[in-house]
């Protein structure tokens, strides 16, 4: 049995399963274009891939799954596409929240909440509140998320605490910054998957990705399925993580 199979069978991250997988769900537009369909059709189909990814993460025993669903830069897209993406988020929460809750999934949302349309902000709050006590997979939805924006907000909070005299500048540590990010209570991602063949971070989890393993898959997001997920995990399990030190394998 390979480590991957053992981990799958055992449903535990201890046998080499990443504890936290983060996904840059990219390629919806190209998926649609290659079929002669409007871009929005790719986004619609992408929602099915989200459902499958959540189900599969649960069956693998992954504890945290973060999905990049709308970046702070995606506002620069044409208005009708932005509206379609907002509409799909609303539809997803309205349709899937009860199922996610039944499946013991806890939903968390990261990204800037201020300035979002009130109906979206309310739905995000509702999803978090309803599932807060669940103990299964935590699904972290990165919505209106940008790492630079997140870091700027954390620095603002830190500066406010310095101004209030709550913290001395000399006492600012990595932990004081990490603790003011949206991901304060979330472990760093072990594995970041990006679909569509692009090999960039696009302002995703820049602080948290310091020691993440990256897997870039050629499939477009609507085609991401359990098999593609397994391939990414398998590739991750073949990597040697060193965190700046030496492992038994590298020290000889
Ligand atoms: C990912 O697909 C979805 C979002 C960024 C919201 P894209 O819409 O970026 O699809 P491509 O990259 O244009 O193919
Ligand atoms: C990243 O994809 C954002 C999301 C997946 C939500 P983009 O398609 O927006 O990234 P770029 O523009 O190709 O870098
Ligand atoms: Mg894209």
């Amino acid at each position: 049995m390979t480590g991957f199979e053992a981990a799958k069978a055992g449903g535990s991250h201890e046998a080499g399963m990443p504890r936290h997988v983060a996904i840059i769900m990219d390629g919806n537009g190209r998926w649609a274009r290659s079929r002669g369909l409007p871009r929005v059709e790719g986004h619609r189909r992408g929602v099915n891939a989200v459902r499958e990814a959540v189900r599969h993460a649960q069956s693998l025993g992954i504890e945290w799954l973060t999905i990049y669903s709308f970046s702070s830069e995606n506002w620069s897209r044409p208005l009708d596409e932005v509206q379609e993406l907002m509409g799909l988020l609303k539809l997803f929460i309205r349709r899937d929240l009860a199922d996610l809750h039944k499946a013991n999934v806890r939903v968390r949302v990261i990204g800037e909440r201020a300035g979002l349309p009130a109906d979206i902000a309310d739905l995000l709050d509702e999803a978090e509140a309803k599932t807060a006590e669940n103990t299964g997979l935590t699904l972290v939805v990165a919505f209106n998320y940008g790492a630079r924006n997140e870091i700027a907000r954390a620095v603002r909070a830190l500066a406010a605490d310095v101004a209030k005299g709550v913290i001395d500048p000399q006492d600012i540590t990595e932990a004081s910054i990490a603790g003011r990010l949206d991901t304060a209570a979330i472990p760093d991602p072990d594995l970041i998957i990006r679909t569509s063949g692009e090999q960039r971070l696009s302002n995703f989890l820049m602080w948290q990705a310091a020691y993440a393993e990256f897997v870039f898959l050629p499939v477009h997001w609507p085609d991401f399925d359990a098999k593609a997920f397994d391939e990414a995990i398998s590739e991750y399990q073949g990597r040697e993580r060193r965190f700046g030190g030496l492992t038994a394998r590298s020290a000889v």
Side-chain angles (χ1 to χ4, degrees):
M1 208 189 251
T2 64
F4 179 44
E5 285 159 349
K8 256 182 105 165
S12 153
H13 67 88
E14 278 157 32
M17 204 41 86
R19 187 174 179 212
H20 181 177
V21 176
I23 307 183
I24 303 172
M25 310 184 291
D26 197 17
N28 292 350
R30 279 164 283 171
W31 181 93
R33 195 177 56 206
S34 70
R35 285 161 178 78
L37 298 168
R39 290 178 57 83
V40 297
E41 200 50 47
H43 297 315
R44 288 182 194 139
R45 289 293 292 264
V47 178
N48 291 332
V50 170
R51 294 191 180 104
E52 183 159 355
V54 170
R55 270 197 303 271
H56 199 55
Q58 284 175 294
S59 75
L60 293 174
I62 288 165
E63 290 176 60
W64 301 82
L65 178 70
T66 297
I67 52 171
Y68 200 6
S69 61
F70 192 84
S71 77
S72 38
E73 286 71 36
N74 286 148
W75 293 105
S76 65
R77 295 191 179 194
L79 185 63
D80 59 342
E81 179 161 344
V82 169
Q83 282 172 342
E84 177 71 23
L85 289 166
M86 297 289 146
L88 280 174
L89 177 85
K90 287 194 263 184
L91 205 64
F92 176 69
I93 297 178
R94 291 200 182 112
R95 273 200 198 149
D96 288 58
L97 185 58
D99 288 342
L100 291 169
H101 186 46
K102 224 180 289 165
N104 198 21
V105 172
R106 181 170 62 148
V107 178
R108 289 277 315 267
V109 182
I110 58 171
E112 181 156 32
R113 212 67 77 86
L116 282 182
D119 55 344
I120 300 252
D122 289 349
L123 276 172
L124 297 177
D125 287 344
E126 182 193 337
E128 289 189 311
K130 188 181 168 82
T131 62
E133 305 300 323
N134 289 345
T135 54
L137 172 80
T138 301
L139 175 65
V140 182
V141 179
F143 189 80
N144 193 24
Y145 177 86
R148 288 181 172 180
N149 167 281
E150 178 191 37
I151 292 168
R153 285 184 287 111
V155 170
R156 216 181 290 151
L158 204 48
D161 283 348
V162 169
K164 278 189 279 182
V166 174
I167 185 167
D168 188 282
Q170 296 305 319
D171 297 330
I172 294 175
T173 61
E174 292 180 15
S176 1
I177 297 171
R180 285 168 178 81
L181 295 172
D182 297 343
T183 52
I186 302 175
D188 286 345
D190 301 293
L191 166 63
I192 295 180
I193 300 170
R194 183 169 185 148
T195 57
S196 90
E198 304 301 341
Q199 303 193 0
R200 55 177 171 262
L201 214 40
S202 301
N203 206 11
F204 188 47
L205 300 179
M206 292 198 300
W207 172 280
Q208 300 84 345
Y211 274 103
E213 295 295 330
F214 290 86
V215 171
F216 299 104
L217 297 176
V219 294
H220 291 315
W221 178 249
D223 287 331
F224 182 87
D225 56 11
K227 189 167 157 277
F229 205 154
D230 284 348
E231 276 166 23
I233 301 275
S234 218
E235 182 162 343
Y236 166 85
Q237 288 171 333
R239 304 273 177 89
E240 188 197 348
R241 302 185 77 189
R242 292 191 184 180
F243 300 98
L246 292 177
T247 57
R249 190 153 32 128
S250 55
V252 289

